[in-house]
Amino acid sequence: MTPPPRRPSTPEALALLETRRSVAAAGLHAPGPDADQTRRLLAIAARVPDHAMLVPWRFIVISGAARGEIGARLSQAYRENNTHMPEEKREKFAAIMGRLFPAPLAVVVVSRPVESSAIPAFEQELSAGAVCMNLLTGAAAMGFDGIWVTGWAATHKAALAILGVGEGERVAGILHIGTAKEAPADRPRPDVAALTTHWSPPEA
Ligand SMILES: Cc1cc2nc3c(=O)[nH]c(=O)nc-3n(C[C@H](O)[C@H](O)[C@H](O)COP(=O)(O)O)c2cc1C
């Protein structure tokens, strides 16, 4: 029997993985993925390891006019839920909520572990994290920039209700995707050698 052909090395993919970095949401402008690219991106995002094929995640896509609409609702919810804060500070953060979706596309990755499953919730949440990372890498492969964020809008009950995140669900990430006008500097990267050990048998 002839063995299957060896998967070829793809230097372009390696270069992308070795250079990809995030761009702050405020720096993400048009163009973003169009409808076909978005569909393709979500299919790439869904191609992740998933123990027992539980599909413990889903997507909420935010684009176009919905960005401003959700921003306005989040801004109001922030005000209503932070009445204890000094007004100036509250208004500052409420305004930030209003501008939360500056990029042409945002994808909320919702983690929804299947409780009845024998697969630990932790493993299911890791799968949702892999979805987020695939979105970032897939967007980069399409020539877009992006960032993975969370924060108040991804965790507060009132914000989750606005986004449409239900009981038993959590936001794994809000992925903002668009085009950076300027190439931001990379951040310092971890010293991988210092983080790596090679197993040897424990001394008796
Ligand atoms: C789960 C998760 C949540 C994050 N939330 C935020 C956030 O709310 N705001 C933020 O500025 N960065 C947040 N980050 C960090 C950025 O996504 C990113 O790691 C950082 O900007 C550098 O990215 P890079 O290593 O892809 O270049 C978060 C990262 C992860 C993994």
Side-chain angles (χ1 to χ4, degrees):
M1 220 166 65
T2 1
R6 189 164 170 238
R7 178 187 281 279
S9 169
T10 45
E12 248 191 283
L14 288 172
L16 182 143
L17 290 168
E18 285 169 340
T19 57
R20 185 214 57 80
R21 78 279 175 270
S22 296
V23 172
L28 295 171
H29 305 269
D34 62 22
D36 282 343
Q37 287 173 311
T38 301
R39 269 192 291 275
R40 193 173 181 189
L41 199 49
L42 296 181
I44 290 167
R47 185 174 276 271
V48 291
D50 168 10
H51 199 169
M53 296 188 289
L54 297 170
V55 197
W57 27 259
R58 65 183 182 92
F59 306 111
I60 301 170
V61 174
I62 299 169
S63 63
R67 296 173 305 153
E69 166 102 357
I70 297 175
R73 289 174 189 227
L74 287 174
S75 188
Q76 187 55 25
Y78 191 88
R79 253 181 224 111
E80 289 168 7
N81 285 279
N82 290 287
T83 47
H84 61 284
M85 278 170 78
E87 192 183 344
E88 198 180 328
K89 196 172 171 192
R90 184 175 64 237
E91 283 311 309
K92 183 181 154 199
F93 286 107
I96 290 172
M97 289 302 142
R99 300 190 297 269
L100 204 69
F101 299 100
L105 175 69
V107 179
V108 182
V109 176
V110 180
S111 166
R112 46 168 198 178
V114 178
E115 270 185 40
S116 57
S117 168
I119 308 302
F122 178 59
E123 291 190 18
Q124 300 185 46
E125 285 160 2
L126 289 175
S127 181
V131 168
C132 294
M133 197 58 229
N134 258 22
L135 268 174
L136 274 187
T137 315
M142 284 182 180
F144 297 112
D145 298 286
I147 189 166
W148 174 354
V149 299
T150 47
W152 188 85
T155 48
H156 194 279
K157 211 175 155 195
L160 296 178
I162 291 167
L163 291 175
V165 177
E167 204 62 35
E169 297 187 322
R170 285 208 290 192
V171 173
I174 301 174
L175 284 297
H176 297 283
I177 298 163
T179 304
K181 276 201 181 140
E182 289 167 26
D186 197 6
R187 69 176 173 94
R189 297 290 160 177
D191 176 357
V192 175
L195 299 169
T196 310
T197 50
H198 292 265
W199 186 86
S200 60
E203 282 175 30

